[in-house]
Amino acid sequence: MTLLIIIIVLALIFDYINGFHDAANAIATVVATKVLSPFQAVLWAAFFNFLAYWVFGLGVANTVAKTANTSEIDLVVILAGVVAAIIWNLITWWQGIPSSSSHTLIGGFAGAAVAHAISVHGFSDYTIIEDGVQHSRHWYDIVSWYKAGKDGGMPSGVVIIIAFIVLAPLLGALMSYLISIWLLNASRKSILPKLFTIALMILSVWFVYCQMVPFEKIEKPRFESSVFWSVVFESHNIKWFLVAFIILSISTFALVFSSLNLHKADAVLKKMQLLSSAAFSLGHGGNDSQKVMGIIAAAVAVYIKTSGVDIMHLPDWLQVVLPDDDKGIKGAMPEWIPLACYTAIAVGTLSGGWKIVKTMGSKITKVTSFEGVAAETAGALTLYFTEHFKVPVSTTHTITGSIIGVGLTKRISAVRWGVTVSLLWAWVLTIPVSALLASLVYWFLKIFL
């Protein structure tokens, strides 16, 4: 039990570090364009980091919890992964490198799990029994590398997470580029951009309406006496309402953009940056806090397995059940876990992270209010959609790609590619370095535990 509590505390410390390490993701462009002072910006971002508690589900947490097979690892594996992730996050923060906290955590978890498999079984094959069936395993099978999606859904596993090292910034860049082109055309006195905008508004409303969860399918309505408010405040629905609100807000601006002079347009864009940075902070809180929830859930699951204690004999605060679609098991997580994780990341954001703010806000490309709105909106939408598909992506990679995308609308040389290439190297190296560091930490801890 002591080791489990240590892991939970360290996981929350990692979440806190994640907050100030990744604070720049949400506030760099707002600070760079002087919409908010640095202090105001961190307060704004921290508030929406915490507000994500009521918006997002637990899909990403489940994906992270299943990075390694919890039936084959012990608590030392998870402890080593968290310790390695904290060390690498502090190193990259100190150097001002916007690396991915998400990939650091996943790399650490996977690396420690592989070290455990080699330590216990060597490089030889071994057998395990699951549900009365004997399976042959290799040392690398301890990590969930790839799992096909159910009923043609999104596949999961570490390979998919690695793929999104490339895909997340590309999606962010493409989306911010398209938003920028759309708004640039909307600034001209032409009917075609307006027709496109109206069509986009109609399409967005229709799409979001199709995504809504009706009252009959809500498992735990928040307002038993009111169908309307239960539907409105269902976390899945709130997320899609936000998507619609973001798109409709920008669309409204696009419709009147051509009638505004430069001064008025800039004033409106600065106000819109408050909306776009809030939307991204929500995505940051929802995406990154869930990863720590997943680690805590995995730790509790491993504790239950290794201690041999029946889950019903555990205190309520430890009654965690990992979902299993194949067996029809629905997950359960005590409320204190998401509440603690969202609180930790919000407090961490309040602590700042100014070294990385400088890199994100000015070194990649010069950012104006126009570019800030486009980049943050693209980043937020990318995070919402990837969260919907339960893919743990890097908020750092996403916003960096989005900033590159808006830079490309001016000219290719507007992006400082020397800085960008350095960031790419940090991204590529994060998972293997974290995995190697976690394996070393694991073997060190095994001497004492």
Side-chain angles (χ1 to χ4, degrees):
M1 178 67 81
T2 302
L3 191 55
L4 175 62
I5 292 173
I6 290 172
I7 289 170
I8 291 171
V9 171
L10 285 175
L12 292 175
I13 290 172
F14 172 83
D15 207 19
Y16 167 80
I17 294 170
N18 187 352
F20 73 71
H21 187 279
D22 289 3
N25 296 345
I27 66 174
T29 59
V30 184
V31 174
T33 56
K34 296 182 171 58
V35 173
L36 294 175
S37 69
F39 179 70
Q40 290 171 328
V42 291
L43 281 176
W44 185 255
F47 173 74
F48 285 99
N49 275 171
F50 184 76
L51 199 64
Y53 169 68
W54 286 276
V55 177
F56 295 95
L58 302 173
V60 170
N62 178 38
T63 302
V64 173
K66 294 181 177 178
T67 297
N69 191 335
T70 53
S71 66
E72 296 182 51
I73 62 175
D74 56 23
L75 288 177
V76 180
V77 170
I78 300 177
L79 178 61
V82 174
V83 169
I86 289 173
I87 292 171
W88 182 244
N89 247 13
L90 289 174
I91 290 172
T92 52
W93 167 76
W94 184 254
Q95 295 298 318
I97 302 169
S99 68
S100 167
S101 298
S102 311
H103 292 156
T104 302
L105 190 62
I106 290 162
F109 192 9
V114 168
H116 173 75
I118 295 171
S119 175
V120 174
H121 305 289
F123 293 98
S124 305
D125 293 353
Y126 61 98
T127 58
I128 63 167
I129 297 175
E130 286 184 342
D131 301 324
V133 180
Q134 186 170 293
H135 301 276
S136 178
R137 293 276 196 172
H138 309 290
W139 58 272
Y140 51 80
D141 289 330
I142 197 168
V143 174
S144 176
W145 296 105
Y146 180 85
K147 183 179 179 181
K150 191 176 180 181
D151 299 327
M154 187 75 182
S156 60
V158 174
V159 170
I160 301 301
I161 295 168
I162 291 172
F164 271 86
I165 291 178
V166 176
L167 292 176
L170 279 180
L171 285 171
L174 177 62
M175 204 171 292
S176 63
Y177 180 82
L178 293 175
I179 290 172
S180 299
I181 295 298
W182 168 35
L183 291 179
L184 285 170
N185 281 284
S187 67
R188 301 186 178 95
K189 295 185 182 296
S190 171
I191 190 64
L192 287 178
K194 290 180 173 55
L195 291 175
F196 171 81
T197 299
I198 292 170
L200 181 63
M201 293 171 79
I202 294 170
L203 185 64
S204 299
V205 170
W206 172 80
F207 174 78
V208 169
Y209 175 77
C210 292
Q211 299 301 317
M212 293 293 103
V213 175
F215 181 78
E216 299 76 28
K217 293 186 178 180
I218 298 176
E219 291 183 15
K220 294 180 180 178
R222 292 182 176 178
F223 301 89
E224 292 284 356
S225 58
S226 173
V227 173
F228 175 78
W229 291 114
S230 293
V231 172
V232 169
F233 284 99
E234 170 63 18
S235 60
H236 175 88
N237 293 346
I238 292 175
K239 179 175 65 183
W240 291 113
F241 283 140
L242 285 170
V243 169
F245 181 70
I246 292 167
I247 295 174
L248 293 177
S249 298
I250 294 184
S251 297
T252 303
F253 172 74
L255 289 174
V256 300
F257 196 2
S258 61
S259 63
L260 302 175
N261 60 38
L262 190 61
H263 177 72
K264 285 186 178 180
D266 188 58
V268 173
L269 282 166
K270 285 189 174 182
K271 290 177 181 176
M272 287 179 66
Q273 263 198 283
L274 294 175
L275 168 65
S276 59
S277 64
F280 190 85
S281 295
L282 270 172
H284 171 222
N287 201 286
D288 284 24
S289 289
Q290 282 192 60
K291 291 151 192 169
V292 178
M293 289 181 222
I295 290 295
I296 293 175
V300 174
V302 170
Y303 171 76
I304 292 170
K305 177 191 73 72
T306 54
S307 65
V309 178
D310 189 288
I311 189 171
M312 299 310 296
H313 295 153
L314 289 171
D316 291 343
W317 67 276
L318 277 180
Q319 293 194 7
V320 174
V321 178
L322 295 181
D324 191 324
D325 293 336
D326 297 332
K327 299 177 183 177
I329 299 173
K330 290 186 177 179
M333 189 177 291
E335 282 295 310
W336 74 267
I337 296 178
L339 188 59
C341 290
Y342 283 115
T343 301
I345 200 168
V347 173
T349 298
L350 279 174
S351 302
W354 309 117
K355 291 189 176 188
I356 298 174
V357 167
K358 187 177 180 183
T359 300
M360 301 293 288
S362 60
K363 285 189 177 180
I364 295 173
T365 187
K366 189 178 184 300
V367 179
T368 65
S369 296
F370 177 89
E371 281 100 12
V373 168
E376 289 160 354
T377 301
L381 292 176
T382 301
L383 290 179
Y384 291 178
F385 279 98
T386 51
E387 194 278 338
H388 176 67
F389 291 109
K390 303 178 183 179
V391 180
V393 300
S394 166
T395 54
T396 307
H397 296 185
T398 303
I399 193 63
T400 304
S402 299
I403 293 172
I404 290 171
V406 295
L408 289 174
T409 60
K410 292 179 280 190
R411 60 188 184 281
I412 293 177
S413 60
V415 176
R416 297 184 177 98
W417 294 106
V419 175
T420 305
V421 169
S422 299
L423 296 181
L424 288 171
W425 273 113
W427 296 353
V428 170
L429 292 173
T430 292
I431 287 182
V433 169
S434 300
L436 178 61
L437 184 58
S439 64
L440 295 174
V441 172
Y442 170 81
W443 281 313
F444 175 77
L445 290 173
K446 267 300 183 183
I447 299 172
F448 305 99
L449 298 174

